[in-house]
Amino acid sequence: MPTRDPDDAAPSAVELDRRAYRRRQTTRSVLVSLVSTIVFAVVIWFAVVNTPGFDRVRQSFFDLDVAIASWPRVIEGLWVNIQVLAVAVVGVALLGTLLAVMRTLRGPVFFPLRALAAGYTDLFRGLPLIIVLFLVGFGVPGLELFPRNSAQFWGTIALILTYSAYVSEVFRAGIEAVHPSQRLAARSLGLSHGQTLRIVVLPQAVRKVTPALMNDFVAMQKDVGLISVLGVVDAVRAAQIETAQNFNFTPYVLAGLLFVLLALPMIRLTDWYTARLREREQIGSIV
Amino acid sequence: MSGADVGDGAAGIPPHGDAVLRVEGLRKSFGTTPVLRGIDLEVREHEVVALIGASGSGKSTLLRCITLLESIDDGQIFLRGDDISDPRVDADRVRARMGVVFQQFNLFPHIRVIDNVTLAARRVLRVPRAEAEATALALLERVGLADKAREYPDRLSGGQQQRAAIVRAVATNPEVLLLDEITSALDPELVAEVLDLVRELAAEGTTIVMATHEMEFARDVADRVVFLDAGVVLEQGPAADLFAHPREERTRAFLARFRGGRDA
């Protein structure tokens, strides 16, 4: 056995050999994946280009002139989507939290509230959003109970109703993931039930479920386009109108691209945040 | 000073005053399993009482019942003469008058150490933040954690976390401090720093009830030791007496097992 100097951190011959091997392996892996990606892309490209109807599809879906012509109307519609989204996010956050808190209340006194919240989430998680849109958008105004509101208003309400059911379930999982001892500690300090929830439980719950909440937000970002079924001239509806005028589907592709661009920052942020959480939880682990 | 009798003002311990805490005929079951079967206990001002007994003897449950974190089935609990087991009392206000330290520290991980310590003062007693922070910093300074005040709890070692938790519990000057096996979750080399802090608090006259497995410490610091067995107070007395001459067979067996397990 050679004597060891604890301060001498120079890598041994064995370690140098291992590093060299790993470097060679990495280089090989990168080359293999690069080449296979290129081959795959080229094959797909030629397969599509050589289909019999390719030229016609290109003309009716990817016509740059039509895209430019329909741009003002579609972008104006997208602005409507963004407005609806902004209001819906706030509404979903409020209603979702309320429902989640209602479902976590304990004690027989709160049975009606618990049951109500449970029934609500069951119903709206089961109902397709498009049906909720029709029912709320055409049915509720028909009651003539509320003052006349725009289709955009009722579409936003429908989105809030559906998405708060999903979000409340995510929240509830988060609330239940906060260890009961945290509640005990808070109550032992004299904090009331409400203070404990607000100051101790909810902030920790939200942190635990942030990636899931961000995912729901991304999903809602595109489902905002469904309010077009109520006649709201949003990006999708605008694209539909343009399409009908030009007999060309390019506006749909344009609207789709814009939705993707809108969602992209949030998608990336979600990925980044999830990765950071994972890193924190398994420091030093390689599997 | 370990042998001071109850009510004895000698040996530097402040004299024991009136009863701070009195438990009468306390009963508690979990489902069909009785855990506390009629507990009587009195704790006087400046007194340090150690609850000992095997796992499942009811030590933790007793502390949780006293702090109103657990409902009780029968009996009464008095804090300075007020019946706090009466459902008409405001439990939150009662809990604010006691300090509790848990086995697992239970610091709030999402707020800084200083905010953990000042939370009760700010939110329950409505002390202005600046004032609460000054008090908290002085306390943290005393236990050697002033430099950790702005850190989040997960940056602290177990011993530091538990000391911060003790500071959190005493920050509002509670009438009684309840310690629930506060060293059981610590690595052996971190136990001393926590126990030293408790020793200091005891020397200052803090009224303490502690469930503990640290027999040496109980003998050293407690004025009185209470041996719980199967949900009843089987035997109690001055620490030195009880450890040296346990009257009950089961107490003897328990202590013997402990010596066999730890000191041997």
Side-chain angles (χ1 to χ4, degrees):
Chain A
M1 283 289 279
T3 52
R4 297 195 196 288
D5 175 7
D7 294 323
D8 178 18
S12 61
V14 179
E15 175 60 23
L16 287 174
D17 181 47
R18 285 196 294 234
R19 285 181 195 177
Y21 173 74
R22 280 198 207 104
R23 260 198 308 277
R24 281 196 304 275
Q25 286 294 97
T26 311
T27 317
R28 231 186 65 166
S29 305
V30 169
L31 282 178
V32 167
S33 59
L34 208 65
V35 169
S36 58
T37 307
I38 290 168
V39 168
F40 183 75
V42 168
V43 167
I44 292 287
W45 174 252
F46 275 103
V48 173
V49 165
N50 290 322
T51 47
F54 176 72
D55 277 335
R56 245 176 315 131
V57 168
R58 198 178 58 184
Q59 278 160 23
S60 49
F61 283 86
F62 301 100
D63 188 323
L64 194 61
D65 293 335
V66 174
I68 292 168
S70 59
W71 169 268
R73 229 175 173 163
V74 172
I75 203 81
E76 203 178 318
L78 192 70
W79 178 236
V80 173
N81 289 116
I82 293 173
Q83 284 172 319
V84 170
L85 182 67
V87 176
V89 164
V90 176
V92 166
L94 292 177
L95 187 57
T97 312
L98 181 71
L99 285 167
V101 168
M102 273 163 73
R103 286 201 76 171
T104 51
L105 290 176
R106 298 197 204 298
V109 191
F110 297 114
F111 175 76
L113 283 180
R114 261 199 319 266
L116 186 74
Y120 179 96
T121 46
D122 285 358
L123 181 67
F124 281 95
R125 282 196 303 162
L127 268 180
L129 175 57
I130 197 141
I131 291 177
V132 178
L133 277 163
F134 283 137
L135 293 180
V136 173
F138 298 136
V140 178
L143 294 174
E144 299 191 352
L145 181 65
F146 304 98
R148 286 214 160 272
N149 269 309
S150 62
Q152 184 179 337
F153 174 83
W154 291 114
T156 312
I157 296 291
L159 269 175
I160 293 174
L161 288 175
T162 296
Y163 268 91
S164 43
Y166 289 110
V167 166
S168 84
E169 282 303 287
V170 173
F171 260 138
R172 186 166 71 110
I175 289 173
E176 276 163 13
V178 176
H179 199 272
S181 62
Q182 288 286 308
R183 236 177 276 248
L184 277 187
R187 298 308 297 275
S188 81
L189 291 173
L191 265 60
S192 68
H193 181 85
Q195 285 178 316
T196 301
L197 203 59
R198 222 173 51 240
I199 303 169
V200 175
V201 177
L202 281 179
Q204 293 187 55
V206 171
R207 278 173 178 75
K208 281 178 200 288
V209 295
T210 300
L213 287 175
M214 289 163 107
N215 255 327
D216 277 346
F217 180 74
V218 170
M220 191 163 80
Q221 233 164 9
K222 62 183 158 54
D223 278 358
V224 165
L226 284 173
I227 59 166
S228 57
V229 299
L230 298 179
V232 180
V233 187
D234 73 329
V236 177
R237 185 76 177 179
Q240 195 181 10
I241 293 168
E242 290 289 328
T243 299
Q245 280 173 1
N246 302 312
F247 301 107
N248 189 303
F249 289 101
T250 307
Y252 275 133
V253 176
L254 176 66
L257 275 176
L258 287 174
F259 271 106
V260 172
L261 286 179
L262 187 66
L264 216 51
M266 199 62 186
I267 293 173
R268 287 274 71 82
L269 189 66
T270 311
D271 283 359
W272 171 82
Y273 187 76
T274 314
R276 201 183 68 148
L277 276 189
R278 198 176 42 233
E279 242 168 61
R280 264 198 195 174
E281 271 163 24
Q282 32 172 271
I283 299 166
S285 165
I286 53 169
V287 282
Chain B
M1 72 194 230
S2 58
D5 284 327
V6 175
D8 187 353
I13 303 179
H16 299 143
D18 304 331
V20 174
L21 190 70
R22 205 167 77 242
V23 177
E24 286 179 10
L26 181 59
R27 286 181 175 276
K28 171 72 189 176
S29 303
F30 288 117
T32 54
T33 317
V35 181
L36 302 177
R37 302 185 300 142
I39 299 275
D40 293 301
L41 181 70
E42 190 175 86
V43 180
R44 301 212 259 165
E45 193 155 15
H46 308 309
E47 198 178 13
V48 177
V49 173
L51 303 176
I52 62 168
S55 297
S57 59
K59 304 183 299 288
S60 289
T61 307
L62 175 57
L63 290 180
R64 282 165 68 148
C65 287
I66 290 172
T67 47
L68 306 185
L69 293 172
E70 197 72 73
S71 65
I72 65 172
D73 296 339
D74 203 352
Q76 282 179 295
I77 305 164
F78 298 91
L79 183 62
R80 295 226 186 255
D82 307 332
D83 181 359
I84 60 170
S85 48
D86 186 327
R88 278 160 293 200
V89 303
D90 181 350
D92 293 334
R93 198 165 295 174
V94 170
R95 293 194 199 99
R97 294 167 60 187
M98 303 193 250
V100 187
V101 184
F102 300 90
Q103 189 176 332
Q104 300 289 347
F105 333 138
N106 299 2
L107 290 172
F108 306 125
H110 62 298
I111 54 178
R112 295 169 202 278
V113 169
I114 183 91
D115 297 324
N116 266 277
V117 175
T118 58
L119 186 62
R122 286 184 289 119
R123 299 301 188 122
V124 181
L125 306 181
R126 305 279 167 200
V127 177
R129 181 183 274 270
E131 197 180 313
E133 291 202 345
T135 314
L137 274 176
L139 280 169
L140 287 170
E141 175 88 65
R142 245 198 59 190
V143 303
L145 290 175
D147 57 325
K148 305 286 183 193
R150 304 281 162 197
E151 298 270 17
Y152 285 94
D154 63 358
R155 311 276 301 174
L156 274 59
S157 75
Q160 290 171 332
Q161 287 191 46
Q162 192 59 296
R163 278 186 286 150
I166 293 173
V167 167
R168 177 175 72 175
V170 299
T172 50
N173 282 319
E175 294 167 38
V176 56
L177 183 61
L178 301 146
L179 312 177
D180 188 1
E181 296 188 22
I182 57 168
T183 56
S184 299
L186 293 175
D187 290 339
E189 79 263 27
L190 301 176
V191 168
E193 59 186 83
V194 171
L195 292 185
D196 285 345
L197 174 55
V198 177
R199 208 185 300 267
E200 265 183 58
L201 290 169
E204 285 167 15
T206 312
T207 311
I208 298 176
V209 182
M210 55 183 188
T212 185
H213 284 302
E214 302 285 338
M215 294 304 150
E216 287 295 323
F217 182 68
R219 178 170 20 210
D220 239 29
V221 175
D223 301 309
R224 185 152 49 99
V225 175
V226 175
F227 176 61
L228 285 187
D229 186 65
V232 297
V233 175
L234 194 66
E235 183 171 356
Q236 61 176 311
D241 288 3
L242 190 129
F243 283 117
H245 314 289
R247 284 191 310 274
E248 301 287 337
E249 181 51 44
R250 294 186 62 88
T251 318
R252 264 197 292 277
F254 172 77
L255 291 174
R257 209 165 50 241
F258 240 93
R259 293 203 179 97
R262 284 252 167 136
D263 301 343

